[in-house]
Amino acid sequence: MTTDQETSMSVTETGATIWLTGLPSAGKTTIAYELAGRLRTEGHRVEVLDGDEIREFLSAGLGFSREDRHTNVARIGFVAELLAANGVKVLVPVIAPFADSRESVRKRHATESTTYLEVHVATPVEVCSVRDVKGLYAKQAAGEISGLTGVDDPYEAPESPDLRIESHQQTVQESAAALHALLTERGLA
């Protein structure tokens, strides 16, 4: 092995879980992928744990009851912590509507001494319902579905997140830049 290879293999990157919570169509996933691209360009190891993909593969069979939502968040939190503990920046654009579920993920990270940041993508429901990326608000309004987070199912907004992003008042790039600035401030980017 050459000295350059030894040096690059001995450098360990600090991982972290960056959880983006907010209502459906708030912009969580779009911001996460924008930031992931920037971090990869800078040479960071990055994974995005997309809530829809997780529901399809890791949490298939779970419904949307409070208990199932808690189980889903706990599973995602476990995978995120595992990756983050191994030097990956893990972006988690997942609603996680209940404060106690998010807090249990935070505590798991703290127990493992793994960095956890909570970002509230604070887009008002009126804006989200116009964006309606997946047509959920229209289906709920038509009576086709019920239990839509923030409409007829609760969403407990974080009281003191590490960062609050008002995505409806800035571009996706500006939102991702604000999150990148937080990571830089915390020594993670």
Side-chain angles (χ1 to χ4, degrees), residues 59-188:
S59 294
L62 289 179
F64 291 91
S65 68
R66 184 179 181 105
E67 183 179 324
D68 282 356
R69 287 176 188 255
H70 181 77
T71 299
N72 185 48
V73 168
R75 288 178 182 177
I76 296 167
F78 172 79
V79 172
E81 194 283 321
L82 186 64
L83 288 167
N86 285 283
V88 178
K89 306 286 187 296
V90 187
L91 304 174
V92 185
V94 173
I95 295 170
F98 301 109
D100 61 342
S101 296
R102 295 190 306 266
E103 185 57 28
S104 72
V105 171
R106 180 187 297 279
K107 285 179 181 175
R108 175 179 176 71
H109 279 68
T111 299
E112 300 297 327
S113 299
T114 305
T115 300
Y116 174 88
L117 301 174
E118 186 174 75
V119 178
H120 181 206
V121 182
T123 309
V125 68
E126 299 79 19
V127 174
C128 294
S129 66
V130 170
R131 290 179 180 172
D132 204 8
V133 177
K134 299 173 197 160
L136 298 174
Y137 292 93
K139 287 180 182 177
Q140 191 277 336
E144 296 172 24
I145 63 170
S146 63
L148 181 59
T149 302
V151 178
D152 59 355
D153 215 39
Y155 175 73
E156 299 168 356
E159 290 182 18
S160 47
D162 295 283
L163 178 66
R164 189 174 319 279
I165 294 175
E166 307 281 343
S167 74
H168 59 293
Q169 296 180 350
Q170 58 193 21
T171 66
V172 171
Q173 294 76 19
E174 290 168 336
S175 295
L179 186 43
H180 189 276
L182 173 66
L183 296 179
T184 300
E185 174 187 306
R186 302 286 174 94
L188 298 167

Side-chain angles (χ1 to χ4, degrees), residues 5-46:
Q5 288 173 322
E6 289 171 0
T7 302
S8 68
M9 290 180 76
S10 66
V11 173
T12 57
E13 184 170 346
T14 302
T17 295
I18 301 96
W19 199 291
L20 293 88
T21 179
L23 297 174
S25 296
K28 302 175 300 295
T29 303
T30 305
I31 294 166
Y33 278 110
E34 179 72 23
L35 179 61
R38 180 172 178 179
L39 290 171
R40 285 186 184 114
T41 298
E42 295 172 356
H44 296 279
R45 295 171 53 205
V46 180

